[in-house]
Structures are given as C-alpha cells and as structure tokens.
Amino acid sequence: MIKKATIFDIKRFAVHDGDGIRTTIFFKGCPLRCVWCHNPEGLTQKTDICFFEHKCILCGECARVCEKSAHKLQTNIHIFDKNACVLCASCEEACPNDSIKIYGKEVTVDELLPILLEDKDFFESSGGGVTLSGGECLVQADFCRELLSELKKNGISTAVDTSGFVSREKLNAVMPFTDIFLYDLKAYSEDVHIKCTGQSNKIILENLKYIDATGKPTEIRIPYVPEYNDGEIEALAEFISSLKHVTRVKILPYHNYASGKYAALGIENTLPCRLPTDEEIRAAEDIMLSHGIKVYER
Amino acid sequence: MNFTPFDVSRQNIDRQYERYSAAANKERSEELYKKIRAAFDTEEYAVLGKAKANEVYLDGTELFINPYDIFADLCDSDVMSTPIRIRKEIYSSFHKKSGEARRLSNIGAIFANGDYSHTMPDWEKLLEVGLTGIITEAGERLSRCEAGTPEAAFYEAVKITYEATARFALRLASALESTEGANAAFAKENLKAIASRAPKTLAEAMQLYFIYYFVQQKVDGAALRSLGEIDVLLYPFYKSDLERGVSEGEIRELFRYFLFKWNSMRVEANIPFDIAAEPNELTYLILDEYTALDVHDPKIHVKVSGKTPERLIKTVFRSIRDGKNSFVFINDKVIKEALVGIGIDPADAENYTLIGCYEPSAVGKELPCTVNGKLSLPHAISFVMQDIKSGKIKAPETFEDFSAAVFANIDHMAEVAITEINTIEKKYPRFMCAPSMSGTYRDAMERGVDVYSGGAKYNNSSICAYGVATFVDSMLAVRRAVYEEKLISLTSFADVLASNWQGESALRQKILRFPEKYGRGNIEADKYAKDLVDYLSETINGRENGRGGVYRLGLFSIDWIFKSSKTLDATPDGRLFGEPVSKNLCSVPGMDKNGVTGLMRSAMAEDHTKIPNGAVLDVALHPTSVSGDEGLSVMHSLLNTYFMGGGFAIQFNVVSPETLIAAQNDPEKYKNLQVRLCGWNVYFCDLEREVQDNLIAGMKNV
C-alpha cells in the first residue's frame, strides 16, 4: 500500500529551520499539548477548517458554493457553522481573500518529492535542504523514513524537527536518513514539563542522550515562556553541556501571535499572557554561553 | 589639502542645483538662446554648428559660484535646456510620426523615438589625456584633412568644443579668484590644472568629471548616464595621491564631496556608477563613504563574477539590509555573452558599463541608445480581443490560431516601432551630434564621424518589451478557460474584458486561481515565458537600425507599466482595467505564491543572454528573514543561485514598515510576505490586525 501522511503546510525559503535556505514540511498531529503552541492547526491529525474572520470581505462566495449551508451571510456578519461542515474545501477554493483555510492534506512521497526537489539549487548554494517539522513529524515516522530516504537518494540535506516525545523505534526509523535533528527541549524538571505540555519528559531526555551517543548532531531549541519554563534554563544548560554533538542552542522567545489561529480553529486559547523581555532572553543565552554552549546569533 | 570639512559644507551643497535654477534670469536666457541658435545655423555641418553653439554657450553664460563646494561646474541653469530645445525645433521641422506609429503610441502599445540620452563617454581616455590631449589629437587629425570635408568639420567641432571647455574651466577659476574661502581656492587650482594638462591628482580627476559631465549633459545635450567603474578609473589617481603623501582621511573627504555632489543633482538626473567585479581597496573606501553619507543616489551597479569576493557582496547586502538600497547586482558572465550575442567582439565586451538602470554597453566602443522603443506585450492580446468584439475577425477555433493572431500583433508593433526609429535615426546627422562625447570615442576620432552619425564601433539601438508576466498568464488563461475547460467562449470572453469583468467575478476568481502563472516556478508557465523571450529575441535582436548598428532586446519596464495600464483593457489573466501590468521580470503582483525561490526559478527559465539591453528581477525580503550573519549568507546564496542559473540582474528589497501597511490595505497582493516572529517565519497577512499593528510599530526605526 502506498504510504500517505497528513501535512498542513509546505514552506519554501524557510531560513530558520536549520542551516541555509530550506523547504519545511509541517506534519499534522502532536502528542504534546504545550500551552504556548504557535501552530495549533498542527495539533490533531485530522483535517481542520479555519475561518479567519478578520480577513472576510463578506462577498458571499462561500455561502454560494457550500452544499451544507455551513456558511451564512447576514448583514455585515458571516456565520460559520463548523458542525455542518464536511470539509469539502469548495469554500476554501471560492474565497477570494483566503479567509477560509483547510489544514490537513493527505500526500504521498511521490507527490511531495518533486515539490521538495524544486529548490535544490538554492539548497546547494546555501547549505540548506529539507526540514520535517510539525506538529510532531515522527508521529508519522514510517512515512518520514521513506521520504527522508528518497531525499537522501537525491542528495538533499535533511533535518528533522522533533519534540523527542516519540518511541525509540520511531527515532531509529528516521535516524539513518537524518543529517541533523532540531530538538526541542521545554523543561528539565518533569513536573514543570508536565505542567507545560501535559506529558513527562523522561522519554525526551533519554532520546536526546541516545541520539547524542550515536554521534548525530543536534540543534537544541528552547522556547522561553515566562512563568512556565523560565526557571529551567540553568538545569537545561547543565544537561546540554553533558552532550557531545550539540551544534548550538536557540532560545526562542515565546510570542502570542498565534491567538488568531486559536479563534479561527474554534479551540480554547491556552496561550500564556506574559511575553519575555529582551533582557530575559539575553540572560538565558548568557547562561548557555557560561556553560560553554554555542548560542544561535539573533 | 586645504578645504573645509565636508560635514560643515554638506548642507550648502545639498540641492545646490535647484537653488541656481531658481536664480536664473528668463530674459537673459532667451537672449542667449537666440545667439546659440544663430551660431548653430551658420554652419553647413550640424556638428560644426553644434560646436559653434557650444562655444557661445560656454563663453557667454553667466556663472554661478557655490563657495561651499570644492568642485565647480555651475552655470546659468535656465539655458541648460537650450540644446534640447534646439534639437526639438529642428527635429519637428522635418519629422512627422507615421500614422500607424502615432496611433499605436497614443494607445500606449508602443513607444518609438530617437534616444539621445543613454550614453557614457570613454572616461578612461578622458582621464588619461585630459581636455588638452583631445584638443591636440583633434588638431592633428584636422591638419591631415582636406578642408571642407565632413571629417574636417567633425575634427574642428571636437577641437572647438574642447577648447571652449578648457576656457570655461578658466572662467570658473577666475570667478573663484574673487571668492573667499578655502574651498574656492582649492577648486580654482584644480580648474586651472585641468585647463592646461591631463589630471594628475584625484581632486583634478574629480573636477574633470564634473566639467566634462556639464558639457556633455548640458551643453551638448546628450544625457550622460554612467560614471563608469569609478573604483577602477580613479584608482591610479588614488594611488599616486597616497604616494605623494595625501592621507587616507583627506582622500575620504574628497570622496564625500564627490559622491555628494552627484547626489545633489538627483533632481534632474540619475547618474549611476559601477563597481568592479574584482574590487580593490578603493572600492571598499567608496562603499564605506557612500553608506556613511546615507543617501540613495547615485545608484550603484555591483558587477558580480566568479572572482567577486564574499566580502564585497556582504558589504553591499549589509547596506541593503540597513535600508540603503541603491544597489543592483549585475551578472558579469551573462552580460558579456549577451553583448557578444549582438555582434560585439569578445574583447570589447570585456570592458562594459551599465548605462542608466541596467543596460550594458561596451565602453568607448558602443553607443547603445537603450530606450528607443518599447512594446507593451499585453496590448497584443487586447487587440485580438477587441477585433473579435468588433467583428473585425472571427474568434479563432484553436489556441494555436489565437496565438498566431496575438504574435502577428507583436510582429506588427515591433515593425512599426523599428521603421519609425530607423527613419528618425537616419536623420540624426542633421540635428543630433555630440562633439564632446565623440572626442573620447577612439573609433569616432579615427573615422572623423560623430558618435550619433555612426562614428562608434557599434551604433546600436534598443527596444524593451514589458508586461511579460501579464502576457504569459493571460495567454495561458485563455488556453485553459476557453480552449481546454471551455468555461467561456472566446467571443464572450472578449465582451467580459471590454466590460472590465462586469458580473463575472466568479470566472475572474477561478482564472486567478489557475495554476499556470509566471513567477511561481510553474513548469508550463516558465516554459511559455522562455519561448516568448526566444521569440522576442528573434524579432528584435540583430535587426538593422538607422545608424549602421543593430537592435538590442530589453525586458525592463521602469514606470511604463503605470502609463500604459490606463490604455489597456482588462486582460484575460484577471487583471482589471487600470491596474498596472507586471513589471520587469516579476510576477503579476501576488502571483508569486511560492515565494522568492519560485519567483527566481521562473525568471531563470528564460535565456538572459538573449536580452542584451537588460532584464532585472526585483526581490522583496523581509528584514526578519535576513537578520544576523546568517541572513547575509541567505541573501548571498539567493544571489549566487540566481546568477549561476543565468540571471542577468537582480535587486533586493528588505521590506519596510510602509510595505506592511500597504499589505494590510491590500493583503491579496502581499500574500507571500513573510515576517519572522522571534524564531519562526509566518505569513504577515495571516496575522490578526492587532498583531500586524504591533509588528509595524515595533519596526518604526528599521
């Protein structure tokens, strides 16, 4: 049977998902529930429909094409009944202003590969390649393995952006075809991790040690979320400094720009309120530096 | 060197030319014009008449002195338009546009005219031999000529013009005699020097630049559009100044005055310069000073070859990223091939300059005339649609037949433009000549023929086609909507376009979402664009012009896209009446939905060596995508990929908050604008208004 995966975006000219110019594929579905998640459209593996109210120009095209009457237009208001929607995508196609978006599309390796190879020249001149991200791409590890192996056959550099909250088996599946892991660490203390993500971090830390022991390089990414994991930096730095193949650490300042997406998805907005200051981020980076860890230059 | 620090003088140099324009005296100008015109009319040969007129002009105009400048060139600016006025008077006395040329011009489909304005002298020769060197050469050649011949008239014209130029320098010097201040004294010495011999110092070479520019641009009326590779041209003077003990600080001061003086002319002229593909230490000094001046003019052409060091490119990118975006990158290899493609000897193509915006020209060998003609490609489609609507032709049954009708229109437009231009060019010897520039062209001096009468080694002309993406998308839209999916008949489509899509917004939306659009790396659209460029190359390149040269195809559009949009019906790609057509090698706005790499792939699909008059791609990048050292590497990689893929020229925009505001007001056109939020890139238009506002506010000082 031909393997399929559910993805929610392909982003070309991605310059922050590993080295150089890259194309990043966002896989749908994630086992963690980080309160600060900035890609909530990637949380579930099922297809989601988003209605961005602020972009709607009230033209009524969607109501015209919808066979289930999920879109209703009244004077100056557009009412979308998500329960009536069968995700046929005709409104997405009809909308002239991209205010309706369907997140989640089934793809095969054969469909993806030509798209990923389009920018090969750019990858080569910049030292870039393809990044698998999400959601948590390794939820669909079998597919990832096949895709990565095809990419390697075509001489493409590969990166896997993972939360590490996956079975060893899944990790092993992609390991031979992955040039670098972009590995997210949210907390060192288990209780903090549970509070932030709903899950223990035991597997995550073990998996990272395991990857490191194989000699595979990793870039560590730490979202910095005040009042959630801001007390974890020292412990994380200590842990990271015990690893041998970490290329660098990126401290990612938490932002709340995804709030619009929560509203559009019609799911509960869990985003924390307080944003980190520049000083806090710099202090976190300094802690890393003081442990002899290379930090990404912003 | 003794003069006032630049920073003290700066405000009195800024916009100095405007001030002098305001001071000009209309009555006196009219009087002078009459004298100049009379001098011009006394001679049988226009070139000699021109020289006599130049003499009256240079000897007779009132001088304006700016005591704050260290270089002098100012003259009664109200009569500066005199040569152009005389040219127009003579021209209109015997030339009338053909009926068809006038009709097509009036509706914005073509432009066809003489081009007297895209030139550069052989600066190297001028700086080497000076005014006096050319006077001597012209005198010697004149003495070997039979009197009364056209050659004698030409040499005499060159001699008269250069002698008058030297006298003009001395007039300025003596006027400065009575002017107080160190700067006036400094300028005076340099003027005296260049009136009597070739320049020896950097300051003298710079002064010669200004005097010469003034004479060619204002007196001969042949607009000058490049200072050449100034880092190479001025290098020997820089070196010898250093050797005789001038400090680097003093040299930097000279460059501040030099660069800023060109900047102060920005209102009336755009005079770019090149920097060499293989830079020297002066290159960096110039870039350094240019950046520190915080100006946007003159524009700078950065030549890039395999030997261009990363340091240079990154220096330029850093400046672009800081919002100092006067740079266009030029692909050395492709340009040389393109020039060779229109018959220029490989050795001559080695030394080229970019005239005006991006138009390459063999230095001292070619008079390229880069904007004789323009073709608005989408008009060729519109004409077919109009003919169907009016019943003049029956709707073609197949796409091939439709296409043949469209391309027949392109042929016709090109033919009318070429015929019109050639007719004008054949009359050049009667009204257009430039003894100043001719004196620097070795071939013109050997042959005794003015550059505008065919004296250069290559006497070429140019035609630019524009609206490429609008054309490609429109043709493919017709193919799919009418002939493949049969969503509408061609006859009805013609009505829809004439009515500006009235009542057909659903069809329009559907067409806007067709996949085959130029600018997103769509293989079909790219192939179509490639074939189009090949076709245009066959139609234009190498065609004979009216001065013994050939035509060069260009694919840049400047601001013409706005003018012709007012005369062009709605187009099949979904464009509404009144919207501009696509610019340069860019996509139709908003159609580059795969971002910068997709846009570049579309542009790289065409063979740019077949576009000898130049083609540029505009790329917008958001500052957050290219921040830090890694950002510079990303920009460099984009450039490398584009040039290795055969791109001709590229200019980057690291987008400002203003653009974000425009994106808020018109999100459809800015769909692909990415912003980096901390560690991630997101699409700006997908963000909530509040978030967008916040980002804009945070970028206020970017």
Side-chain angles (χ1 to χ4, degrees):
Chain A
M1 205 184 76
I2 297 167
K3 284 197 188 74
K4 285 188 174 178
T6 311
I7 64 168
F8 66 92
D9 200 9
I10 296 172
K11 195 177 280 171
R12 296 169 174 87
F13 192 57
V15 292
H16 304 297
D17 300 330
D19 287 339
I21 295 169
R22 313 189 72 86
T23 298
T24 301
I25 316 154
F26 294 87
F27 287 79
K28 221 164 136 39
C30 183
L32 300 182
R33 286 295 176 270
C34 307
V35 291
W36 56 74
C37 181
H38 68 280
N39 278 340
E41 71 275 33
L43 286 173
T44 65
Q45 212 170 325
K46 71 173 177 54
T47 304
D48 284 319
I49 183 161
C50 267
F51 169 53
F52 292 92
E53 201 173 348
H54 69 286
K55 295 178 82 181
C56 176
I57 55 169
L58 300 168
C59 69
E61 287 291 324
C62 51
R64 208 175 52 78
V65 298
C66 182
E67 287 178 3
K68 300 288 172 189
S69 303
H71 296 279
K72 288 197 183 65
L73 269 101
Q74 293 163 3
T75 321
N76 289 331
I77 189 158
H78 175 166
I79 298 164
F80 174 49
D81 179 3
K82 204 171 173 177
N83 295 325
C85 174
V86 292
L87 299 168
C88 72
S90 51
C91 59
E92 184 191 33
E93 193 176 317
C95 176
N97 209 34
D98 290 337
S99 53
I100 299 163
K101 263 204 175 153
I102 298 211
Y103 289 111
K105 191 184 165 200
E106 285 210 325
V107 288
T108 64
V109 170
D110 286 348
E111 285 165 351
L112 272 183
L113 200 61
I115 297 172
L116 299 176
L117 294 178
E118 281 174 352
D119 280 350
K120 196 175 178 194
D121 291 348
F122 294 91
F123 302 158
E124 279 169 6
S125 73
S126 67
V130 169
T131 299
L132 275 46
S133 182
E136 171 52 64
C137 60
L138 295 185
V139 169
Q140 308 179 65
D142 284 354
F143 182 90
C144 291
R145 177 187 166 91
E146 199 175 315
L147 178 61
L148 289 165
S149 123
E150 286 301 318
L151 288 168
K152 290 316 296 178
K153 273 186 212 157
N154 283 280
I156 305 285
S157 164
T158 57
V160 168
D161 182 1
T162 178
S163 68
F165 192 71
V166 292
S167 68
R168 188 64 55 84
E169 190 192 349
K170 290 188 168 188
L171 208 52
N172 282 334
V174 297
M175 193 84 93
F177 310 107
T178 303
D179 293 320
I180 186 169
F181 283 96
L182 311 178
Y183 206 96
D184 302 349
L185 284 182
K186 281 107 185 178
Y188 188 73
S189 330
E190 189 178 15
D191 56 331
V192 175
H193 200 271
I194 291 170
K195 182 186 160 203
C196 293
T197 70
Q199 298 288 349
S200 158
N201 61 353
K202 276 215 173 87
I203 298 174
I204 294 172
L205 299 178
E206 286 308 314
N207 274 342
L208 180 52
K209 280 193 259 181
Y210 170 73
I211 293 172
D212 195 64
T214 68
K216 190 72 80 181
T218 49
E219 175 183 307
I220 309 284
R221 303 157 149 237
I222 304 173
Y224 186 98
V225 191
E227 291 156 27
Y228 281 84
N229 69 351
D230 48 354
E232 292 292 305
I233 304 300
E234 182 68 45
L236 283 171
E238 215 149 289
F239 172 65
I240 293 165
S241 61
S242 73
L243 302 170
K244 293 194 176 64
H245 302 286
V246 172
T247 57
R248 61 181 175 182
V249 168
K250 248 186 192 180
I251 306 283
L252 306 174
Y254 158 71
H255 65 74
N256 59 8
Y257 298 131
S259 57
K261 287 199 244 178
Y262 282 87
L265 282 161
I267 59 173
E268 188 199 348
N269 184 342
T270 58
L271 293 173
C273 294
R274 190 160 91 67
L275 304 176
T277 62
D278 263 6
E279 289 70 37
E280 285 176 306
I281 299 303
R282 219 166 297 131
E285 286 170 349
D286 285 344
I287 292 173
M288 292 296 153
L289 290 169
S290 71
H291 283 78
I293 299 163
K294 204 180 155 204
V295 171
Y296 171 76
E297 282 171 47
R298 282 186 295 148
Chain B
M1 272 184 273
N2 182 21
F3 53 79
T4 315
F6 170 75
D7 282 343
V8 177
S9 310
R10 178 171 177 147
Q11 69 178 65
N12 291 309
I13 296 176
D14 196 19
R15 297 184 171 262
Q16 55 181 327
Y17 295 86
E18 283 168 73
R19 278 202 297 280
Y20 289 99
S21 286
N25 177 322
K26 282 254 152 57
E27 229 167 85
R28 203 187 50 245
S29 304
E30 197 56 30
E31 209 173 286
L32 186 66
Y33 155 73
K34 281 181 190 151
K35 277 196 214 159
I36 291 173
R37 177 73 211 244
F40 189 88
D41 289 343
T42 52
E43 293 299 327
E44 181 193 348
Y45 295 110
V47 67
L48 196 49
K50 186 63 165 289
K52 295 282 173 71
N54 291 349
E55 205 171 22
V56 174
Y57 196 158
L58 289 163
D59 288 339
T61 49
E62 189 176 339
L63 300 173
F64 288 94
I65 295 297
N66 180 358
Y68 303 99
D69 207 340
I70 62 167
F71 303 113
D73 64 339
L74 289 171
C75 175
D76 189 337
S77 52
D78 204 46
V79 290
M80 284 177 178
S81 53
T82 302
I84 295 165
R85 179 173 165 189
I86 293 175
R87 183 172 78 216
K88 282 185 177 159
E89 284 169 356
I90 299 172
Y91 170 75
S92 59
S93 70
F94 64 78
H95 183 78
K96 286 264 177 304
K97 255 195 171 51
S98 82
E100 182 63 353
R102 198 174 331 121
R103 187 184 74 83
L104 291 173
S105 302
N106 286 346
I107 54 180
I110 68 163
F111 171 89
N113 222 331
D115 177 9
Y116 325 103
S117 322
H118 293 86
T119 72
M120 188 187 88
D122 187 342
W123 289 113
E124 190 183 351
K125 177 181 170 187
L126 182 70
L127 292 171
E128 188 192 320
V129 306
L131 300 173
T132 49
I134 293 175
I135 294 169
T136 309
E137 182 189 353
E140 278 167 9
R141 290 184 187 275
L142 175 62
S143 69
R144 293 199 294 269
C145 269
E146 202 180 313
T149 59
E151 291 76 20
F154 168 77
Y155 291 128
E156 196 183 346
V158 173
K159 187 163 176 280
I160 289 172
T161 298
Y162 275 83
E163 282 170 347
T165 305
R167 283 199 305 277
F168 177 65
L170 290 175
R171 272 181 76 210
L172 280 167
S174 63
L176 286 161
E177 206 73 67
S178 52
T179 310
E180 283 192 16
N183 286 8
F186 184 79
K188 186 189 70 188
E189 291 309 318
N190 294 324
L191 284 161
K192 280 186 183 164
I194 62 161
S196 61
R197 58 166 169 77
K200 285 183 182 162
T201 69
L202 195 51
E204 289 167 11
M206 289 172 170
Q207 176 62 72
L208 181 56
Y209 251 107
F210 289 111
I211 284 285
Y212 178 84
Y213 170 79
F214 173 75
V215 172
Q216 191 195 313
Q217 168 92 10
K218 302 293 186 185
V219 183
D220 257 348
L224 199 162
R225 288 287 177 271
S226 177
L227 304 178
E229 274 181 1
I230 61 171
D231 50 351
V232 172
L233 289 165
L234 292 175
Y235 189 77
F237 300 98
Y238 160 76
K239 269 300 203 204
S240 82
D241 268 19
L242 284 179
E243 275 159 26
R244 62 187 183 88
V246 178
S247 72
E248 192 189 297
E250 288 171 312
I251 286 169
R252 284 179 180 273
E253 276 286 284
L254 282 176
F255 272 100
R256 282 170 205 143
Y257 274 100
F258 180 73
L259 294 169
F260 196 69
K261 188 173 173 73
W262 294 113
N263 177 267
S264 73
M265 294 180 195
R266 65 189 175 274
V267 195
E268 54 182 58
N270 161 23
I271 320 139
F273 63 85
D274 300 346
I275 51 179
E278 292 173 55
N280 52 46
E281 62 266 31
L282 188 55
T283 314
Y284 293 103
L285 186 151
I286 290 170
L287 283 178
D288 219 26
E289 291 308 327
Y290 182 87
T291 309
L293 284 174
D294 197 11
V295 291
H296 293 267
D297 283 293
K299 308 291 181 213
I300 304 175
H301 303 130
V302 184
K303 295 177 177 178
V304 180
S305 74
K307 289 177 182 163
T308 309
E310 189 172 337
R311 179 185 163 203
L312 176 72
I313 305 226
K314 287 199 170 172
T315 304
V316 173
F317 272 131
R318 204 170 285 121
S319 185
I320 291 174
R321 202 174 55 181
D322 290 345
K324 292 169 187 170
N325 197 359
S326 315
F327 302 92
V328 55
F329 292 98
I330 299 293
N331 190 344
D332 192 66
K333 180 169 172 280
V334 167
I335 280 176
K336 287 172 183 168
E337 276 179 46
L339 289 176
V340 170
I342 48 157
I344 288 177
D345 285 346
D348 294 338
E350 279 300 310
N351 183 19
Y352 66 91
T353 193
L354 285 307
I355 304 283
C357 300
Y358 341 89
E359 306 98 274
S361 164
V363 174
K365 301 281 180 186
E366 185 186 17
L367 189 74
C369 299
T370 60
V371 195
N372 291 91
K374 309 170 197 165
L375 305 178
S376 165
L377 296 172
H379 272 87
I381 300 174
S382 195
F383 291 158
V384 174
M385 292 303 201
Q386 287 169 354
D387 286 348
I388 291 169
K389 185 167 163 50
S390 70
K392 196 172 156 195
I393 60 166
K394 270 173 62 185
E397 304 236 327
T398 63
F399 178 68
E400 287 64 38
D401 290 347
F402 173 78
S403 182
V406 171
F407 279 83
N409 283 337
I410 293 184
D411 291 350
H412 174 67
M413 286 155 60
E415 211 53 48
V416 171
I418 286 174
T419 308
E420 175 71 15
I421 295 163
N422 288 3
T423 310
I424 299 169
E425 286 189 333
K426 285 183 183 142
K427 295 169 185 163
Y428 271 15
R430 289 165 64 185
F431 69 93
M432 184 60 206
C433 37
S436 56
M437 185 170 32
S438 299
T440 72
Y441 271 58
R442 289 176 203 277
D443 297 273
M445 287 298 273
E446 268 163 35
R447 296 176 192 175
V449 178
D450 188 89
V451 282
Y452 283 98
S453 300
K457 186 168 176 186
Y458 312 101
N459 300 281
N460 297 335
S461 307
S462 308
I463 288 183
C464 291
Y466 63 96
V468 172
T470 303
F471 183 89
V472 171
D473 293 2
S474 292
M475 291 301 284
L476 296 177
V478 169
R479 191 175 78 186
R480 183 187 271 261
V482 176
Y483 294 100
E484 288 173 5
E485 295 189 4
K486 305 198 192 313
L487 301 173
I488 187 168
S489 74
L490 193 61
T491 314
S492 308
F493 206 172
D495 291 337
V496 167
L497 296 177
S499 75
N500 199 19
W501 298 95
Q502 210 167 16
E504 290 291 347
S505 72
L507 175 69
R508 181 169 169 263
Q509 287 307 331
K510 197 155 192 138
I511 285 176
L512 286 171
R513 276 148 206 276
F514 279 176
E516 306 89 359
K517 304 277 190 237
Y518 172 89
R520 57 174 66 161
N522 175 280
I523 290 168
E524 270 186 71
D526 292 355
K527 169 79 169 62
Y528 195 89
K530 182 199 179 299
D531 292 346
L532 172 67
V533 171
D534 288 350
Y535 184 88
L536 292 170
S537 169
E538 288 285 314
T539 312
I540 308 285
N541 283 327
R543 289 283 300 273
E544 280 177 26
N545 68 359
R547 296 179 293 115
V550 296
Y551 278 92
R552 321 171 349 141
L553 169 68
L555 288 181
F556 58 90
S557 59
I558 316 184
D559 55 353
W560 312 326
I561 58 169
F562 301 104
K563 289 174 195 156
S564 77
S565 69
K566 306 287 186 292
T567 60
L568 178 66
D569 286 350
T571 40
D573 62 326
R575 182 189 141 276
L576 297 165
F577 171 78
E579 282 184 346
V581 298
S582 61
K583 70 171 175 179
N584 295 327
L585 287 181
C586 297
S587 72
V588 168
M591 291 298 130
D592 52 344
K593 73 169 193 142
N594 288 333
V596 55
T597 55
L599 176 63
M600 283 190 173
R601 275 190 280 121
S602 285
M604 288 187 288
E606 293 89 68
D607 182 350
H608 292 206
T609 64
K610 292 181 175 169
I611 320 171
N613 201 43
V616 71
L617 181 68
D618 305 68
V619 169
L621 298 171
H622 197 276
T624 54
S625 302
V626 291
S627 62
D629 264 359
E630 291 196 12
L632 290 180
S633 300
V634 164
M635 292 173 96
H636 194 182
S637 303
L638 286 175
L639 178 74
N640 278 345
T641 312
Y642 190 61
F643 279 1
M644 285 193 300
F648 189 104
I650 187 165
Q651 49 199 17
F652 291 87
N653 256 309
V654 178
V655 181
S656 64
E658 282 83 346
T659 308
L660 299 185
I661 292 164
Q664 283 186 321
N665 295 331
D666 198 354
E668 183 68 18
K669 288 194 176 157
Y670 292 89
K671 263 190 227 168
N672 303 304
L673 181 61
Q674 285 186 30
V675 287
R676 188 180 181 217
L677 300 168
C678 325
W680 308 275
N681 280 28
V682 294
Y683 295 114
F684 178 78
C685 295
D686 286 351
L687 296 169
E688 269 186 316
R689 180 73 186 209
E690 200 185 335
V691 178
Q692 294 178 346
D693 288 345
N694 177 268
L695 252 177
I696 291 166
M699 285 170 53
K700 212 170 172 182
N701 296 313
V702 165

